[in-house]
Amino acid sequence: MGSTAIGAIMKITLRQLQIFLAVAQSGSTTAAAGLVALSQSAASASLNELESLLGVQLFDRVGKRLVLNDSGRLLLPQARHMLDAAHTIERQFADPAAGSELHIGASTTIGSYMLPAMIAAYRKRHAGARVRALVANTADIVDAVVNFDVDAGLIEGPCHASDVSVEPWMTDELIVVAAPHHPIVAGGRKISFKMLREADWLLREAGSGTREAVEHALIPYLHYLPSSFEFGNSEAIKRATAEGLGISCLSRAVVEDLIESGKLVELATPLPTLRRHFYMVVSSHRTPSPSLAALLEFCRAWARLHGGA
């Protein structure tokens, strides 16, 4: 029964409905043919076929004009609805991101300081697109990608998992900061490696991409990294640093607001410029949909504009 109903519906074409609407609007097959870029004979044949399929006349012939009758008036709103739905489908796949819902994971620094602006820009470009964000540390985001809990992840530390495709995404600068009243700043002394080794460091928790990146950058020069306090997010670290609890090494994007307000100062250390990569990760078992491919390409374009890898 279901297949028979589907077969009957498929006999009516969108082109026939389009011509029907054009005739209803213009009052003749000659004028309608001009609206839909067909010959008059083709438009007339299409209308006749539609009436034959439905088993009714849709127009009364009044002189040279075609005037909707009661059957035509019944079909008119349904035909409009069908063509509107078809146009919506065309628009949706012309812009694959429009109307889609994607789940993206971001590690804490990216999720807190970059992702909101990225999502806002993405939705301006792709009206109607919806993005759900999961913000957690790098290890948890990688797990979410592996388990298909998110469609893609943006992480700030190396990825050690198998079954994921990893793409360098952006370059981030790490800087060492302290409160203006911290002893390491006092007196304008030149900061040495010895002073850095003896300082109390405020660090992210184990499993954080920032923690791994900081250790990778600093340990070759300091040999070890004494932790005074550990925090679950960078915002807590920068606030604690501003209170003088210790010094920290964080993304410039995280601390630039407190540096501008004078609550933190960037330390001139003997360390070289510290940089790390952000990465884009997707499951190697996932075939990106058109909407996911559009989002990934947007992320690449964002990186090129704001400091690509």
Side-chain angles (χ1 to χ4, degrees), residues 22-151:
V23 174
Q25 176 184 337
S26 65
S28 74
T29 54
T30 301
L35 294 176
V36 296
L38 286 177
S39 67
Q40 186 278 334
S41 60
S44 181
S46 179
L47 179 60
N48 290 337
E49 185 177 0
L50 177 61
E51 289 181 324
S52 177
L53 286 170
L54 296 176
V56 297
Q57 284 194 341
L58 300 171
F59 296 91
D60 290 330
R61 275 67 175 175
V62 181
K64 293 184 177 181
R65 287 189 58 79
L66 297 177
V67 180
L68 280 173
N69 60 23
D70 58 338
S71 295
R73 288 190 295 271
L74 177 64
L75 177 60
L76 187 64
Q78 298 169 339
R80 285 174 175 161
H81 175 75
M82 292 291 292
L83 289 174
D84 284 344
H87 290 150
T88 297
I89 291 171
E90 289 178 343
R91 289 193 299 269
Q92 178 176 304
F93 285 91
D95 180 0
S100 64
E101 179 173 288
L102 292 169
H103 298 185
I104 188 167
S107 53
T108 310
T109 298
I110 298 169
S112 299
Y113 299 95
M114 300 171 61
L115 194 61
M118 290 177 62
I119 292 176
Y122 182 73
R123 293 196 62 190
K124 284 182 180 178
R125 181 175 299 182
H126 302 287
R130 298 181 300 278
V131 179
R132 291 176 55 188
L134 170 67
V135 179
N137 70 30
T138 291
D140 291 337
I141 295 301
V142 172
D143 286 343
V145 170
V146 170
N147 295 324
F148 295 92
D149 295 326
V150 296
D151 298 305

Side-chain angles (χ1 to χ4, degrees), residues 186-234:
R189 296 174 297 166
K190 184 176 181 180
I191 297 173
S192 64
F193 283 127
K194 181 175 183 295
M195 294 167 65
L196 293 175
R197 293 187 191 104
E198 294 173 351
D200 291 326
W201 285 85
L202 310 182
L203 301 173
R204 284 288 303 276
E205 79 287 1
S208 157
T210 296
R211 171 68 173 266
E212 188 168 352
V214 167
E215 290 179 341
H216 181 77
L218 297 184
I219 287 179
Y221 302 95
L222 305 185
H223 309 310
Y224 66 97
L225 197 60
S227 171
S228 178
F229 295 98
E230 291 186 0
F231 295 86
N233 61 72
S234 297

Side-chain angles (χ1 to χ4, degrees), residues 233-287:
N233 61 72
S234 297
E235 186 69 19
I237 292 178
K238 78 173 185 179
R239 298 293 174 183
T241 304
E243 294 297 328
L245 291 180
I247 67 175
S248 60
C249 182
L250 293 169
S251 168
R252 183 178 293 279
V254 171
V255 297
E256 60 185 355
D257 58 336
L258 292 193
I259 291 176
E260 290 176 1
S261 67
K263 295 180 179 178
L264 286 176
V265 294
E266 179 180 355
L267 301 183
T269 73
L271 295 165
T273 301
L274 304 177
R275 300 190 187 278
R276 61 171 173 171
H277 283 302
F278 291 160
Y279 300 92
M280 189 159 55
V281 294
V282 296
S283 170
S284 55
H285 300 293
R286 181 188 293 276
T287 300

Side-chain angles (χ1 to χ4, degrees), residues 177-191:
V177 294
H181 57 273
H182 190 280
I184 202 169
V185 181
R189 296 174 297 166
K190 184 176 181 180
I191 297 173

